[in-house]
Amino acid sequence: MNKTLASIVTNWVPSGSKVIDFGCGDGALLKMLAEQKSIIGYGVENDPAKINECISNGVSVIQQDIDTGIQDYRDMGFDLAIMASSIQCLRRPRNAMKNILQVANECVITLPNFGNWELRAGLLKGKMPSSSQLPAKWYETKNLHLCTIADFEELCSVEGFNIKKKIYLNNKGNATWLVSTFPNLFAAEAVYLIGS
Amino acid sequence: MKVVSEKISFARSLSLESGQSLAQFELMTETYGELNQDKTNAVLVCHAFSGNHHAAGTKDDGSKPGWWDQIIGDGKAIDTEKYFVVSLNNIGGCHGSSGPTSVSSDSEHAFGASFPEVSVSDWVETQKILADHLGIDCWEMVAGGSLGGMQALQWAISYPTKIKKAAIIAASPKISSQNIALNEVAREMIRKDENFHNGNYLLKEVSPKKGLKAARMLGHITYLSEANMSKRFGRKLQDPDSKMGADVNYEVENYLQYKGEQFAQSFDANSYILMTKAMDSFDPAKSFDQDLIKCFESIQAKLLVVSFNSDWLFPKEYGLDIQMSAITAGIESTYVELEGEYGHDSFLFHTENYAMALQNFLESNE
């Protein structure tokens, strides 16, 4: 996770809150939130190497497949759920969104924007495009459900997921005028705070 | 690795959870490595039901390496170059600590069947007394598998400020009706041995070895996974020259006969009953209206909960029960699920991910 993204998430997380990070990787974000916002944090991760990094980092982690496990965390008193760059890797992203909003009142979702002009240009060449957000080849990628910002916001509107805050970033992690004005074309990544 | 074996006598009475008490008691201990000057590098390891104080290293007499030798030692997951590891035989056992085979203070005979009922909490109390004796104010970690994991969990509940980390491996916050049933079949085999004499076999100078052997054979099956047994024995026939008995056909039969026989030579039948009863009765939530979350609220230690997929005796749902209750209670707790080749016994064996999880947990700081 880049620094801008991390600082946005840090700003949005209430101090002392109870946070769950689905697809927490090495636990760096949770560790930072524990240090800066005194949160009680838990990560969910399925990669044994990353789990061991979490343990080394002193981050509480649960080894589980987030495709099946999200609903297990209902009624546990979470204030906020985070799903950073993971939603597009799930088999049923719409169900996952619904489940996340039953785990916590609010969730932070970040996703790579497949509508970004560089990716569109890549596709025009007739091949699956890649970028710094989407570096993997088509046959190696974990992404199952890539979408554009327009697609994602349409889903939120149809399903009644309330977007409380959003920030669009270019591929350098900056929220410039151009990116904020024409996000679907110029943003590389979008960050949302979503309520039920 | 520096190894010290010591039998420590405590000339004080010990009140037990059952309401009974011991006028005095002894603990057979083994320690590995050295306690640092601040006494902040101490790790307690708790044995499972048939384990004992000999957790690591090989004794000079050429006997077997300790039960957790793959995990404890110089440069191993619980690194004895950094940590001072304490292991003991629990009371009620039969390897040197006060138990049914030790002589009662008010008679010249062994306790036998009259040794009082013991519980996981009682063991934690004696371990606390041992910590005080060694001058250890706070354990860096308490760890154990199976019944040992239950002790680690009880430590976190009973002494929130005296333990920093608890590694709870292949354990459960309470065992199931099926687990109790299996234990009862094993106990029944012992009781029905003609040499049992209501537990007073020592006075008659006999031993219910047949019952004990059969009980262990049943138990042993439950500690292994089906896949592991198939891989190890399959349907291979036993070589006729090394048969344990004329009736033996398959290798797996011979193996169980051999293991059962060995166990019956070294274990005490009354201890078997006491240890399994302690496992059956473990249920820390019972004093909290069966609410495990409430029970966990006082915990200050960090938890590491480990389950093994091949363990059908204490399946992963038991570990998840601990983990999910810990999360709801807001306790720092990590849950790791490993394949584990050996079923319930997987906690005894080194694998890379298992050792790394334990080591990273032990060595992690705030």
Side-chain angles (χ1 to χ4, degrees):
Chain A
M1 176 172 283
N2 70 48
K3 275 186 185 163
T4 327
L5 208 54
S7 75
I8 293 166
V9 177
T10 309
N11 277 332
W12 288 354
V13 173
S15 287
S17 56
K18 188 169 172 178
V19 177
I20 187 160
D21 184 354
F22 292 104
C24 67
D26 63 6
L29 177 64
L30 285 171
K31 191 180 181 184
M32 192 177 81
L33 292 173
E35 283 162 6
Q36 298 188 8
K37 303 298 279 276
S38 308
I39 62 144
I40 308 164
Y42 299 89
V44 181
E45 181 54 61
N46 212 11
D47 177 341
K50 288 181 176 161
I51 286 164
N52 273 317
E53 288 181 61
C54 286
I55 298 173
S56 273
N57 278 329
V59 169
S60 292
V61 62
I62 304 103
Q63 183 168 10
Q64 204 172 35
D65 182 353
I66 51 176
D67 243 319
T68 52
I70 295 173
Q71 61 268 33
D72 296 349
Y73 300 92
R74 285 179 197 173
D75 306 320
M76 288 190 171
F78 282 107
D79 302 302
L80 186 85
I82 297 172
M83 192 173 269
S85 305
S86 297
I87 193 90
Q88 76 282 357
C89 304
L90 301 185
R91 281 193 287 276
R92 292 187 186 81
R94 187 175 59 162
N95 278 354
M97 288 285 298
K98 288 181 183 170
N99 285 332
I100 289 174
L101 288 167
Q102 288 181 331
V103 169
N105 291 329
E106 287 186 327
C107 69
V108 172
I109 303 272
T110 82
L111 70 144
N113 173 30
F114 204 68
N116 179 277
W117 70 271
E118 281 183 274
L119 295 167
R120 294 190 202 194
L123 199 56
L124 272 180
K125 292 181 196 158
K127 296 185 94 176
M128 276 305 280
S130 63
S131 69
S132 51
Q133 271 75 32
L134 301 167
K137 293 283 186 195
W138 67 272
Y139 48 83
E140 285 170 337
T141 181
K142 288 179 181 168
N143 299 320
L144 301 174
H145 292 100
L146 286 166
C147 66
T148 68
I149 282 175
D151 288 327
F152 183 75
E153 294 182 4
E154 184 184 74
L155 174 72
C156 290
S157 140
V158 170
E159 295 293 337
F161 304 145
N162 176 25
I163 298 176
K164 293 179 167 176
K165 290 178 185 170
K166 58 187 173 185
I167 293 179
Y168 305 118
L169 303 171
N170 66 15
N171 57 12
K172 295 191 177 69
N174 298 322
T176 61
W177 172 84
L178 189 65
V179 167
S180 309
T181 315
F182 304 103
N184 203 37
L185 194 55
F186 292 108
E189 200 156 26
V191 196
Y192 298 96
L193 180 69
I194 296 172
S196 43
Chain B
M1 180 175 73
K2 186 182 170 192
V3 183
V4 177
S5 294
E6 191 187 357
K7 188 187 263 198
I8 305 168
S9 299
F10 295 90
R12 48 166 288 180
S13 71
L14 180 72
S15 306
L16 301 167
E17 203 182 349
S18 65
Q20 291 176 276
S21 62
L22 289 171
Q24 59 200 52
F25 65 100
E26 291 181 314
L27 294 177
M28 187 65 215
T29 69
E30 221 166 87
T31 64
Y32 316 101
E34 289 187 67
L35 189 59
N36 65 13
Q37 202 147 26
D38 301 339
K39 304 188 173 183
T40 53
N41 67 334
V43 171
L44 174 69
V45 297
C46 306
H47 69 74
F49 128 79
S50 64
N52 56 49
H53 56 284
H54 180 42
T58 309
K59 288 181 184 165
D60 299 335
D61 59 8
S63 57
K64 284 200 298 185
W67 55 270
W68 227 10
D69 190 59
Q70 297 190 8
I71 298 296
I72 303 166
D74 288 352
K76 295 182 186 174
I78 299 176
D79 188 350
T80 42
E81 286 176 308
K82 295 179 190 164
Y83 296 95
F84 176 65
V85 182
V86 178
S87 174
L88 75 160
N89 183 212
N90 282 320
I91 57 164
C94 50
H95 292 95
S97 291
S98 296
T101 56
S102 31
V103 175
S104 154
S105 56
D106 51 7
S107 80
E108 64 243 47
H109 302 298
F111 279 100
S114 71
F115 195 85
E117 203 175 286
V118 290
S119 70
V120 170
S121 291
D122 293 332
W123 291 334
V124 168
E125 290 313 310
T126 57
Q127 291 157 4
K128 175 70 172 67
I129 292 166
L130 177 62
D132 293 341
H133 172 83
L134 297 170
I136 296 161
D137 177 58
C138 181
W139 299 105
E140 184 59 29
M141 178 168 84
V142 178
S146 190
L147 189 53
M150 293 169 166
Q151 293 161 56
L153 178 59
Q154 187 65 53
W155 257 101
I157 297 165
S158 297
Y159 291 103
T161 59
K162 302 294 176 194
I163 156 178
K164 285 191 180 161
K165 294 166 188 150
I168 301 157
I169 305 158
S172 175
K174 63 179 173 209
I175 62 173
S176 71
S177 170
Q178 189 188 35
N179 295 138
I180 296 172
L182 285 162
N183 282 342
E184 178 59 9
V185 174
R187 287 188 290 260
E188 183 68 3
M189 287 167 169
I190 293 169
R191 288 188 210 111
K192 286 287 139 52
D193 186 306
E194 74 243 17
N195 285 333
F196 186 61
H197 301 290
N198 285 321
N200 297 310
Y201 46 87
L202 292 174
L203 287 172
K204 309 222 174 216
E205 294 178 349
V206 290
S207 169
K209 283 191 180 148
K210 280 186 279 180
L212 195 53
K213 176 181 170 183
R216 182 58 167 188
M217 287 169 77
L218 170 71
H220 205 102
I221 299 166
T222 68
Y223 307 147
L224 301 178
S225 70
E226 198 240 347
N228 179 249
M229 282 181 110
S230 296
K231 188 174 151 194
R232 220 159 133 190
F233 309 107
R235 294 181 51 81
K236 277 181 282 190
L237 293 168
Q238 183 62 37
D239 149 30
D241 298 335
S242 49
K243 279 187 178 180
M244 289 289 292
D247 290 346
V248 164
N249 294 324
Y250 292 95
E251 265 189 17
V252 65
E253 295 173 56
N254 209 61
Y255 171 80
L256 285 177
Q257 290 282 349
Y258 175 73
K259 283 287 184 186
E261 194 75 45
Q262 261 193 330
F263 182 79
Q265 300 298 336
S266 63
F267 212 81
D268 176 65
N270 284 316
S271 278
Y272 196 109
I273 292 172
L274 283 174
M275 293 296 194
T276 53
K277 288 272 184 193
M279 193 191 307
D280 292 357
S281 67
F282 180 67
D283 185 8
K286 74 173 179 267
S287 346
F288 296 84
D289 306 322
Q290 286 302 329
D291 186 343
L292 198 57
I293 298 157
K294 235 192 267 172
C295 169
F296 282 3
E297 274 167 1
S298 63
I299 294 179
Q300 293 180 31
K302 271 188 178 189
L303 312 185
L304 172 68
V305 181
V306 180
S307 292
F308 296 97
N309 273 322
S310 60
D311 182 354
W312 59 273
L313 190 64
F314 281 31
K316 65 178 184 186
E317 286 71 21
Y318 293 8
L320 277 168
D321 192 9
I322 297 174
Q323 176 65 20
M324 293 305 185
S325 302
I327 295 177
T328 311
I331 307 305
E332 288 186 69
S333 185
T334 282
Y335 172 78
V336 176
E337 208 170 281
L338 299 165
E339 204 36 55
E341 204 188 321
Y342 303 95
H344 187 57
D345 266 354
S346 297
F347 78 88
L348 296 168
F349 300 98
H350 174 279
T351 63
E352 203 181 320
N353 278 329
Y354 178 40
M356 203 176 285
L358 275 173
Q359 181 167 5
N360 287 350
F361 178 66
L362 173 56
E363 295 181 3
S364 69
N365 293 311
E366 281 318 296

